[in-house]
Amino acid sequence: RPGCGCTVGRMRNDGQSAHPGAEDKAKTGRAAIWQVALAVLVLLAGTWATAWLARAQGRQEGRRVEREFQQAADKLFGRTLREIQLFMEVLDSIRQLHSLSDQVSPAAFDEIARKGMIYQRRILGAYGFAQRIPYDLRAAYEQAGDPGRAIVESDGRGGFTSVANHAEYYPLTYQTPPGELGIPLGYDFGARAVDRAAIAAMARSGVFALGGAPAGLPAAGGIGTERYMFAPILEGTAGGSNELAGFAVGLFNPARVLAAATGDGGRGVWAQLEMAGAGGAAAGPGERPWHFERVFSLANQEWRFAAEADPGYWAPAQARAPKMIFAVGLALALGLAGALLLLAGHTRRVEVLVLR
């Protein structure tokens, strides 16, 4: 009551609180909490969106780099086929020179090959000629006192021994550089089953054939090793048909072919050239990422060209863009969340000051 000195009471006559500042402070606190929650939500949503965008960009970048790899591998495959074709064309030109060897002395022919066929030696490395000798002419061919005329075969220990009797023989009659084919003069290419099969295929088709690895050298595991390549020398018969009189022989070296095909343009691509089936089943399209594979016919065999991407080539290019996107997006999310937190603090201070 007026003049009594008593406290008026906590409720006004209209039912509202006698201390409205407490309710305003509560509303102000709730507003600040919501702003903080919004900042946290923005940070979480921004981080998730940035990570999703970075992954999407990474997948897109990966597809782009893989397309580049597939194009590079396909170009390398084309260059490899051209190098193989060049090897076969040069060996064929050597085969055509066989007729000249009967018209000049061995010393003169060797001088021609050594001085005038530098390009052929650079492509082939080593080459030679083999001649078909029937069994009834073996004794006449193996002249006494001339070890180069003895018909021999590999003894399986790095040496050579006299060959057993067969219906026919295909001894090596010439090679240059001497000994570079891994066999001596007189080695019989018909002594091994793998070479006999190649000679039979060549006799049937009249075209090139691939034989086995060098007989006088230890095998290097079977994959990627050198192999004899034969180019047939045909002679006409009285009946008008052609029969196999011999062949030119060269060493087909897959590693050398790939090195010539790669040159300086194979960065980031690992390539392998081998017989089909030597490295397991061929991979189907899309089964192995960063992988390129083609099977093609080479002489009488099926061969496989396989290439894979070098991780040192594609990994940095693949990871660069996603990392940049994630860093920029995270920085933006952190900046926006920080701005909202600063705004919440500023709003809280202003409202408290106004209430005071």
Side-chain angles (χ1 to χ4, degrees), residues 66 70 280-293 304 307-308:
E66 185 167 1
Q70 294 290 334
E287 290 183 8
R288 294 171 60 182
W290 310 103
H291 184 80
F292 178 93
E293 190 170 309
R304 184 173 71 97
E308 294 193 6

Side-chain angles (χ1 to χ4, degrees), residues 91 94 97 106-107 109-118 120-130 172-185 249-251 256:
L91 185 60
I94 295 297
L97 288 176
F109 185 84
D110 186 68
E111 185 174 2
I112 292 173
R114 183 164 43 86
K115 295 182 178 180
M117 303 177 67
I118 299 175
Q120 287 83 350
R121 287 180 59 179
R122 182 172 64 84
I123 299 299
L124 299 178
Y127 60 89
F129 298 111
L172 181 70
T173 58
Y174 174 82
Q175 67 173 322
T176 184
E180 290 298 312
L181 288 175
I183 49 178
L185 293 178
V249 55
L251 274 180
R256 187 172 181 174

Side-chain angles (χ1 to χ4, degrees), residues 79-96:
R79 292 195 296 268
T80 300
L81 291 182
R82 288 193 292 272
E83 289 295 329
I84 293 174
Q85 184 66 30
L86 176 62
F87 181 92
M88 297 177 72
E89 288 176 355
V90 173
L91 185 60
D92 185 65
S93 68
I94 295 297
R95 175 187 64 84
Q96 297 175 13

Side-chain angles (χ1 to χ4, degrees), residues 71-86 257-258 260-267 269 305:
Q71 293 172 358
D74 187 64
K75 290 180 180 178
L76 179 58
F77 174 61
R79 292 195 296 268
T80 300
L81 291 182
R82 288 193 292 272
E83 289 295 329
I84 293 174
Q85 184 66 30
L86 176 62
V257 169
L258 285 177
T262 301
D264 296 330
R267 183 178 66 89
V269 179
F305 173 89

